[in-house]
Amino acid sequence: MASNIHMPEPLCLIENTEEKLVVNPEALEILSAITQPVVVVAIVGLYRTGKSYLMNKLAGKRKGFSVGSTVQSHTRGIWMWCVPHPEKSDHTLILLDTEGLGDVEKVNYKSDSQIFALALLLSSTFVYNTVGNIDQHAIDRLHRVTELTDLLKTRNSPDLNGAEGGSDTAGFFPALVWALRDFYLCLKRDEHFMTPDEYLDSALSLKEGSNQTIQNFNLPRLCIKKFFPIKKCFTFDSPAKGEKLKQLEMLHDNELHSDFVQQMTEFRSYIYSHSTVKTLSGGLKVNGPCLESLVQTYVDAINSGDLPCIENAVLALTQKENSAAVKKAMALYDQMMGQKVQLPTETLQELLDLHRACETEAMEVFKKNSFKDEGQTFQEELQTLLNTKWDGLCEQNEKVSSERCAVLLQEVFSPLEEELEKGIYSKPGGHNLFLQKMEELKAKYYQQPRKGTQAGEVLQEYLQSKESVSDSILQADQALTAKKKEREEEQSRAEAQRAEAQRLEAALRENRRLTEERERLHQEQVRQMETQAANLRAWRQRQWDRECRERLQEEAEKEKAIIEGELRRQQEEIRRRQRVLEQSQISNSCIYL
């Protein structure tokens, strides 16, 4: 049982009013919270036979289900007590105590059959509580199940004349535990002791023969064998004597008859160990919500006058379980997508991968929790819901992406908007500057993370909204550029004229300079020529003088040579004459000068 479920005492599950059976919403709410498989033990029997006391013992309590000490019946309808299973921690034990059959104060005896039917349909172990030995009256009372063959319509009804076991209907019915209270007989037959189970088998044995009397005798026994293939019998001594019986709830085990205590211990041990989980056709193990659905389905059918068909109940339960499986799968899908998905995703494929992963997990949960989804009707419903979720996610992803991109565009392109308001681009060349700025901001926009799938589309819409602005800037740019070009051309012409004037002036100055330079050079040349001429004249004069001197010298030398030659000749002549003279002097002794 779920950890937050606590039932300190029993609660009415189905109230038996004079008009109809009424399901207690509080009890259904408790059942809906039990997620564990449930072992349902129901007890049915005549009123004032100690049924409630027996169920309190199964609950491990002395008090719980109302135990009376008077002839007045205390239990009305069906009461429920959900307790932890004493031996199976992963199961919940649900005890159902029913109002007594044959209550003399009861106005509508039809409710006996209804309570009996509900106990059979809801339980996995059916305790039939009688007093004393097994007699024909007790068997006839249990034979009410034959009346239920009409009340409990199923597709495959048992052949009451056939052999025991094997029918599909029997699979819906619980195990039978026959509790014989205040049993004092000796279990002995033909000098052989018998077990309570052998005693029950003997009481249900068939007689041979085919006359109507034998058929009437065998019919209830055939029904019991057919509907209850699993049967167990327990005998109980009286728990106490005299006045103590009026205070059973107050008595401890040591105040009870020891044989009764031992019998009760064996009874409880068998119930705990052999009672199985309530199971429907197809192997569906019933938990709290399933049992809740069965209770509501059967009671609604009985109150409406319809036959509480087991197949219809299973169908209703199947629809409820499969619907719950679809809801559980969708809840898991929503939870996983909520944890994993952060909108907007950068690409649609990223979202699709997450969707498929969560879709697979959801399908696994559905398959694990679904039951008899013939034709995959609910699986197709789940797939449709998942597809719808996917479509919604795509729309939401696009919406979040668009909103995110719109905010980003406002942040990224706000400088451009401010510059446009200031008319920064209303100048020649402004259009190129505008385009450069747009490209710069587009690059910055694309660098921003988590834009989602609509990043390009939203940007294109923004750019399209700026096309008129771009055209206006271009037109202004072209107009301003044309004027600027004209001004530049005028400036160029003026500059050219100024340059030409400056060039001409410079050329004139250069011409003057060249003229002056030529004049200077001419004068210089003249001076040089004059100097050269003077120098040449001087040189020539010097050359002439030198030549003259040389000629004079040469002539002088020639003259000198001549003179000297003449002189030498004369000297020779003189010396010759002197010699001659000498010779003459000698001869004549005369000297000639």
Side-chain angles (χ1 to χ4, degrees):
M1 186 166 59
S3 59
N4 61 337
I5 299 300
H6 177 64
M7 286 189 69
E9 58 186 9
L11 182 69
C12 181
L13 174 63
I14 302 171
E15 182 182 358
N16 183 13
T17 66
E18 293 183 2
E19 295 83 11
K20 62 180 181 179
L21 301 177
V22 179
V23 179
N24 184 1
E26 184 179 354
L28 293 183
E29 184 176 354
I30 292 175
L31 287 178
S32 67
I34 301 175
T35 58
Q36 293 179 336
V38 293
V39 177
V40 185
V41 180
I43 190 168
V44 173
L46 292 176
Y47 82 110
R48 312 308 301 122
T49 55
K51 300 187 302 301
S52 299
Y53 180 76
L54 205 61
M55 297 303 277
N56 286 339
K57 287 296 183 180
L58 287 179
K61 307 290 184 179
R62 284 188 298 163
K63 291 184 178 181
F65 291 110
S66 178
V67 177
S69 59
T70 67
V71 295
Q72 184 179 12
S73 174
H74 274 227
T75 304
R76 286 286 184 264
I78 299 179
W79 285 65
M80 173 186 76
W81 200 353
C82 302
V83 297
H85 197 289
E87 296 183 0
K88 303 172 183 177
S89 59
D90 56 345
H91 290 63
T92 296
L93 178 63
I94 298 181
L95 303 174
L96 300 180
D97 188 18
T98 64
E99 67 177 71
L101 305 176
D103 185 358
V104 293
E105 296 181 3
K106 190 177 298 185
V107 177
N108 181 13
Y109 282 96
K110 183 180 178 181
S111 63
D112 281 354
S113 297
Q114 295 173 345
I115 297 297
F116 193 87
L118 288 172
L120 280 171
L121 291 170
L122 297 176
S123 64
S124 55
T125 296
F126 180 76
V127 180
Y128 184 41
N129 189 74
T130 62
V131 177
N133 61 312
I134 300 175
D135 57 17
Q136 189 60 39
H137 291 291
I139 292 176
D140 288 340
R141 280 191 293 269
L142 185 56
H143 178 234
R144 290 179 182 275
V145 75
T146 61
E147 299 174 0
L148 297 176
T149 57
D150 290 330
L151 190 62
L152 307 172
K153 292 179 61 179
T154 61
R155 183 174 300 167
N156 297 309
S157 296
D159 179 3
L160 298 182
N161 293 318
E164 179 181 350
S167 108
D168 291 337
T169 303
F172 293 107
F173 279 77
L176 171 65
V177 176
W178 199 318
L180 300 174
R181 308 293 296 278
D182 299 337
F183 187 81
Y184 298 108
L185 298 179
C186 180
L187 292 177
K188 186 175 181 181
R189 185 173 185 175
D190 298 332
E191 303 301 325
H192 295 287
F193 288 99
M194 305 171 62
T195 65
D197 290 339
E198 290 173 339
Y199 173 57
L200 175 59
D201 289 340
S202 174
L204 296 178
S205 61
L206 306 179
K207 289 185 178 182
E208 296 181 357
S210 58
N211 60 50
Q212 188 62 45
T213 301
I214 293 178
Q215 288 183 11
N216 292 339
F217 177 86
N218 289 338
L219 179 61
R221 290 165 173 79
L222 282 172
C223 288
I224 294 172
K225 287 174 176 286
K226 175 63 65 176
F227 284 101
F228 301 108
I230 299 176
K231 297 176 288 295
K232 182 70 177 177
C233 182
F234 286 93
T235 60
F236 295 90
D237 289 351
S238 177
K241 292 183 179 179
E243 292 298 322
K244 287 185 177 182
L245 289 175
K246 300 178 182 179
Q247 302 175 347
L248 279 179
E249 285 184 325
M250 308 300 296
L251 299 180
H252 297 279
D253 284 351
N254 59 4
E255 299 177 273
L256 302 175
H257 290 166
S258 58
D259 289 343
F260 176 81
V261 173
Q262 178 62 32
Q263 293 159 353
M264 181 61 69
T265 299
E266 294 175 358
F267 171 74
R268 291 172 60 189
S269 176
Y270 177 85
I271 294 296
Y272 295 156
S273 60
H274 288 78
S275 293
T276 61
V277 173
K278 176 66 177 176
T279 305
L280 300 179
S281 62
L284 175 62
K285 293 185 180 301
V286 175
N287 57 13
C290 291
L291 187 62
E292 172 198 5
S293 177
L294 290 175
V295 170
Q296 192 66 65
T297 300
Y298 291 144
V299 171
D300 288 345
I302 290 174
N303 287 336
S304 65
D306 293 334
L307 300 178
C309 175
I310 296 176
E311 282 186 346
N312 290 343
V314 173
L315 177 60
L317 183 58
T318 298
Q319 292 175 343
K320 181 176 181 179
E321 286 298 299
N322 288 334
S323 296
V326 169
K327 292 180 180 178
K328 189 172 184 179
M330 289 303 300
L332 176 66
Y333 173 85
D334 290 338
Q335 178 185 1
M336 293 182 66
M337 289 295 286
Q339 293 172 349
K340 294 182 178 182
V341 176
Q342 183 180 358
L343 298 179
T345 57
E346 289 295 343
T347 63
L348 183 62
Q349 186 63 45
E350 178 185 349
L351 183 62
L352 180 59
D353 291 341
L354 291 172
H355 163 74
R356 286 176 174 171
C358 296
E359 180 184 55
T360 301
E361 292 292 332
M363 278 296 180
E364 289 299 321
V365 167
F366 170 78
K367 292 176 181 178
K368 181 179 179 181
N369 291 275
S370 63
F371 174 69
K372 296 182 69 174
D373 184 20
E374 298 176 357
Q376 296 185 335
T377 302
F378 287 91
Q379 183 171 334
E380 291 176 358
E381 177 185 344
L382 174 60
Q383 188 62 61
T384 300
L385 292 175
L386 289 171
N387 292 341
T388 302
K389 282 283 185 180
W390 165 247
D391 294 338
L393 273 173
C394 290
E395 293 179 3
Q396 183 67 14
N397 193 44
E398 291 178 357
K399 179 181 179 182
V400 174
S401 175
S402 298
E403 293 174 351
R404 164 68 175 158
C405 291
V407 173
L408 279 177
L409 283 174
Q410 185 175 3
E411 293 176 356
V412 172
F413 284 84
S414 59
L416 178 66
E417 298 292 342
E418 293 175 0
E419 291 175 350
L420 287 173
E421 290 181 1
K422 294 178 181 179
I424 298 297
Y425 303 103
S426 298
K427 61 183 179 180
H431 187 253
N432 286 333
L433 295 176
F434 174 78
L435 294 180
Q436 291 174 5
K437 188 68 173 181
M438 288 289 283
E439 291 300 320
E440 174 188 338
L441 296 180
K442 281 166 60 178
K444 182 178 180 181
Y445 169 80
Y446 278 122
Q447 290 173 355
Q448 301 300 315
R450 310 302 301 177
K451 295 185 295 297
T453 57
Q454 299 302 104
E457 182 175 338
V458 173
L459 177 60
Q460 287 303 315
E461 290 178 356
Y462 177 80
L463 295 179
Q464 289 175 1
S465 70
K466 294 301 176 185
E467 286 182 355
S468 58
V469 176
S470 178
D471 293 340
S472 298
I473 293 175
L474 177 59
Q475 293 174 0
D477 185 3
Q478 290 173 342
L480 293 172
T481 301
K483 292 180 180 179
K484 181 181 178 182
K485 187 174 181 181
E486 290 178 1
R487 288 195 300 270
E488 288 177 348
E489 289 177 352
E490 291 176 357
Q491 292 174 359
S492 296
R493 288 193 294 270
E495 289 292 331
Q497 291 174 355
R498 285 194 296 270
E500 181 65 18
Q502 292 174 356
R503 185 189 66 79
L504 293 175
E505 183 179 353
L508 182 60
R509 287 195 302 269
E510 182 65 16
N511 287 335
R512 287 196 297 267
R513 186 188 67 80
L514 291 176
T515 300
E516 292 173 354
E517 182 66 18
R518 283 194 297 269
E519 182 63 25
R520 186 186 65 77
L521 291 175
H522 175 70
Q523 295 297 329
E524 183 66 25
Q525 289 175 353
V526 169
R527 285 193 299 270
Q528 288 178 355
M529 289 174 64
E530 289 176 350
T531 301
Q532 289 176 355
N535 290 338
L536 180 60
R537 287 193 300 270
W539 177 80
R540 286 179 177 177
Q541 186 63 41
R542 287 190 301 272
Q543 190 68 19
W544 171 258
D545 291 343
R546 184 180 61 79
E547 290 177 354
C548 287
R549 283 192 302 272
E550 287 178 352
R551 284 195 299 268
L552 290 175
Q553 186 177 358
E554 183 180 353
E555 290 177 357
E557 287 179 353
K558 287 181 180 180
E559 290 177 0
K560 182 180 179 182
I562 294 172
I563 293 172
E564 286 180 352
E566 184 62 32
L567 182 58
R568 281 189 305 267
R569 186 188 66 78
Q570 290 178 0
Q571 287 176 348
E572 276 296 325
E573 184 62 32
I574 292 171
R575 280 189 299 266
R576 184 188 67 79
R577 288 182 176 184
Q578 283 179 347
R579 280 186 312 261
V580 170
L581 179 57
E582 287 175 356
Q583 289 174 359
S584 298
Q585 287 177 349
I586 293 170
S587 315
N588 301 316
S589 297
C590 179
I591 302 172
Y592 173 76
L593 294 170

